[in-house]
Amino acid sequence: MNGSLPVVLERQLLLQLGDRLKALRKSKGLSMADVAREAQLSRTTLTAIEAGDPGPSMGNYARVMSVLGIVGDLALLAGDGLQAAAAGTAGARSRRRRPTVQVTVSTDEGRHQAQDLQSLALHEAAVRMAREDPALLIQARATLQRWMDAGATRSTSLWHEWEAILASRSWHKVLSRSQRAAELRQASPLTAVLPASVRADVLAQVHALKGGVQVGACPVSVSEP
């Protein structure tokens, strides 16, 4: 896969990282309070990290990884290990193909199945667009009002909550991995503002993840000067 990672793939990688950090913490018999204290983070920030939330900085993710004792990769990235070959050396002149490192990422049958990831990705796309163009919120409110005018349903309580969310732009309430957030996304008027092309792109990315996606640098031959 060339270029930058697709948005949905980036999101899934972060979700998987959060899950694995949480599993590692539990395997070590550490409580959230233990890790939060050692990493000098709030319990709220640690909860977000273990949920794979993009909100916390990478520095905060690194703190948690350090506390859990998985600092090898961090040391490689932060140190001098990743350097291009110096100009004029045999390494720089080599025509040999560069090694390709690949990671297989796929949705599983657990907490973030394809449907859950798809819903989350669609809402994150809609929120990004709404932040750039507040007029889209008017469209979402109009959709919500039409639904409510049609009469009470099992989703009425969720729609009332959506009224407050759209008014206050409290996006965190629908972008988390909580059960309530998942319920809100199922009764959401927000994704109605998405252009068909954006929706199709998200669905295509999620579909690709179902079979697994390999991420790696494409081998490139370097010519001699």
Side-chain angles (χ1 to χ4, degrees):
M1 180 174 297
N2 296 321
S4 59
L5 297 181
V7 173
V8 176
L9 177 54
E10 287 184 349
R11 193 70 182 91
Q12 178 67 1
L13 284 168
L14 203 55
L15 290 171
Q16 290 183 183
L17 174 59
D19 277 351
R20 288 164 186 171
L21 291 177
K22 181 177 181 178
L24 182 58
R25 172 180 63 77
K26 289 184 174 182
S27 72
K28 290 178 174 289
L30 298 172
S31 68
M32 292 191 74
D34 293 332
V35 175
R37 182 179 59 254
E38 291 297 320
Q40 299 182 343
L41 299 173
S42 69
R43 177 75 173 267
T44 299
T45 299
L46 179 57
T47 298
I49 287 172
E50 291 192 347
D53 194 312
S57 69
M58 287 309 299
N60 285 337
Y61 272 89
R63 287 185 180 188
V64 174
M65 293 172 72
S66 179
V67 169
L68 295 177
I70 48 175
V71 295
D73 290 338
L74 290 177
L76 175 63
L77 292 172
D80 297 330
L82 297 179
Q83 292 184 349
T89 64
R93 293 192 301 270
S94 175
R95 293 178 179 273
R96 295 178 60 187
R97 294 171 57 154
R98 295 174 181 173
T100 300
V101 178
Q102 296 183 323
V103 179
T104 299
V105 182
S106 63
T107 55
D108 55 31
E109 296 302 321
R111 186 172 179 183
H112 32 266
Q113 297 175 340
Q115 191 66 32
D116 298 325
L117 178 62
Q118 177 176 300
S119 175
L120 180 59
L122 287 170
H123 280 80
E124 289 182 333
V127 167
R128 284 194 298 271
M129 292 187 66
R131 284 171 172 162
E132 296 173 359
D133 183 6
L136 295 176
L137 294 178
I138 299 175
Q139 296 180 29
R141 291 193 188 101
T143 297
L144 182 61
Q145 191 60 55
R146 285 197 303 273
W147 293 349
M148 298 180 72
D149 288 345
T153 71
R154 295 173 59 183
S155 297
T156 298
S157 63
L158 295 170
W159 291 342
H160 283 302
E161 195 165 344
W162 265 108
E163 282 187 302
I165 290 170
L166 293 174
S168 63
R169 305 182 186 185
S170 303
W171 307 127
H172 64 281
K173 293 184 177 181
V174 297
L175 297 182
S176 76
R177 295 174 68 190
S178 69
Q179 181 60 37
R180 188 58 174 178
E183 292 171 353
L184 284 165
R185 290 195 293 268
Q186 290 175 1
S188 171
L190 190 58
T191 54
V193 307
L194 285 174
S197 59
V198 174
R199 180 183 296 273
D201 183 54
V202 170
L203 298 185
Q205 291 183 46
V206 173
H207 179 74
L209 279 179
K210 289 181 181 179
V213 175
Q214 290 189 322
V215 183
C218 293
V220 178
S221 294
V222 179
S223 300
E224 293 180 1

